[in-house]
Amino acid sequence: MPRRRRSENEGEAVRNQILDEALNLFVEAGWQGFSMRKLGARLGIAAKTVYNYFASQDELYLGLLTRGFHSLGQALAKAAEPHTNPFERLDALIDAYVTFAFDNTHLYGLMFTWHVPKYDDYVGTAMENTARVELETALDSLRLTATTIAACTGTPPARDDLYFITVRLWTQLHGYIAGIHNHLIDYMHPDPASLKERMITRIKNSVVHEILALNPTAAREQPTLQ
């Protein structure tokens, strides 16, 4: 009797199961120690079955990143959607980003911190288009943040100004988050987690200060950020 073909939902469930276990293996073995054979063994299936869903380690890795950035983008959009005031939207975006980072420690590390292939590594290869999808998905969150910051200024800022603020915001947030994840801040402070509320509030206020420097009249729209 021929085997029943999986439904679309069943196939998606298997893909997600493979991606979930792949992340665990990346955490334990790193990029160099990862293999489809090891992944199949952890899942209790043959490596060739994994290849039915992902043609290579690179395709699987990019699929994991794309899924992660899509989840981050959804979280940011959901957090921002209820707010019409741009400063409140920015406040919600920052909180959603921090929540995602701390709720998805290993995935966040793979997305932003670990020494793993980036888009440029795939340019000119068979995986370039797949890598482009991953990159564009990642940039959606940047665009949403930049658009929100632009709205906070109340006037169209120069592109360099806008992206400077956006990049500075991300690097400040990422510096604290990465320091918590890799335990470096443990050597600087006895209770790094206790710094979270004060640290995030200071970062928010520094970004607001930068926005108001571009357009002081935007202060009329500024709520108190928490």
Side-chain angles (χ1 to χ4, degrees):
M1 178 181 294
R3 296 177 62 183
R4 180 179 68 87
R5 294 188 62 182
R6 295 183 187 273
S7 69
E8 184 176 341
N9 287 341
E10 289 173 328
E12 189 63 24
V14 173
R15 282 178 60 88
N16 283 326
Q17 182 183 5
I18 292 172
L19 291 173
D20 289 341
E21 196 55 50
L23 176 60
N24 294 332
L25 184 55
F26 276 125
V27 170
E28 295 176 18
W31 175 259
Q32 298 298 331
F34 184 97
S35 75
M36 302 293 257
R37 179 185 56 79
K38 290 179 182 177
L39 178 59
R42 292 172 68 107
L43 290 163
I45 59 178
K48 65 180 182 180
T49 302
V50 180
Y51 282 112
N52 288 336
Y53 294 90
F54 300 95
S56 66
Q57 176 176 328
D58 288 293
E59 183 178 310
L60 187 152
Y61 158 71
L62 290 169
L64 184 55
L65 285 186
T66 301
R67 188 181 69 164
F69 282 117
H70 179 68
S71 295
L72 173 60
Q74 284 188 316
L76 297 186
K78 182 178 180 180
E81 195 276 331
H83 304 284
T84 56
N85 181 292
F87 285 95
E88 291 177 352
R89 285 172 63 85
L90 181 59
D91 186 57
L93 283 174
I94 293 171
D95 287 341
Y97 181 89
V98 172
T99 297
F100 179 91
F102 285 113
D103 285 352
N104 301 275
T105 302
H106 296 316
L107 180 58
Y108 181 91
L110 185 67
M111 292 161 63
F112 292 111
T113 306
W114 300 349
H115 185 63
V116 287
K118 303 295 189 290
Y119 171 74
D120 285 348
D121 297 306
Y122 293 107
V123 173
T125 74
M127 297 304 300
E128 181 174 351
N129 288 340
T130 303
R132 169 59 67 179
V133 171
E134 180 271 324
L135 176 62
E136 289 299 322
T137 305
L139 291 176
D140 283 343
S141 296
L142 173 70
R143 295 183 187 107
L144 176 59
T145 305
T147 300
T148 302
I149 290 173
C152 288
T153 68
T155 185
R159 181 181 175 88
D160 286 348
D161 290 337
L162 173 60
Y163 277 93
F164 175 79
I165 296 174
T166 305
V167 171
R168 189 163 75 85
L169 169 59
W170 181 80
T171 52
Q172 286 183 307
L173 289 172
H174 177 68
Y176 174 65
I177 292 165
I180 294 291
H181 284 177
N182 61 26
H183 302 289
L184 284 178
I185 300 181
D186 292 356
Y187 295 98
M188 307 175 197
H189 193 275
D191 185 14
S194 69
L195 301 175
K196 180 180 175 182
E197 182 176 348
R198 185 165 43 149
M199 185 71 71
I200 302 305
T201 299
R202 291 288 180 89
I203 292 171
K204 289 177 179 179
N205 288 333
S206 71
V207 171
V208 169
H209 177 79
E210 194 81 27
I211 291 169
L212 297 181
L214 291 177
N215 182 15
T217 62
R220 293 194 300 268
E221 301 296 324
Q222 178 199 351
T224 301
L225 300 185
Q226 301 297 325

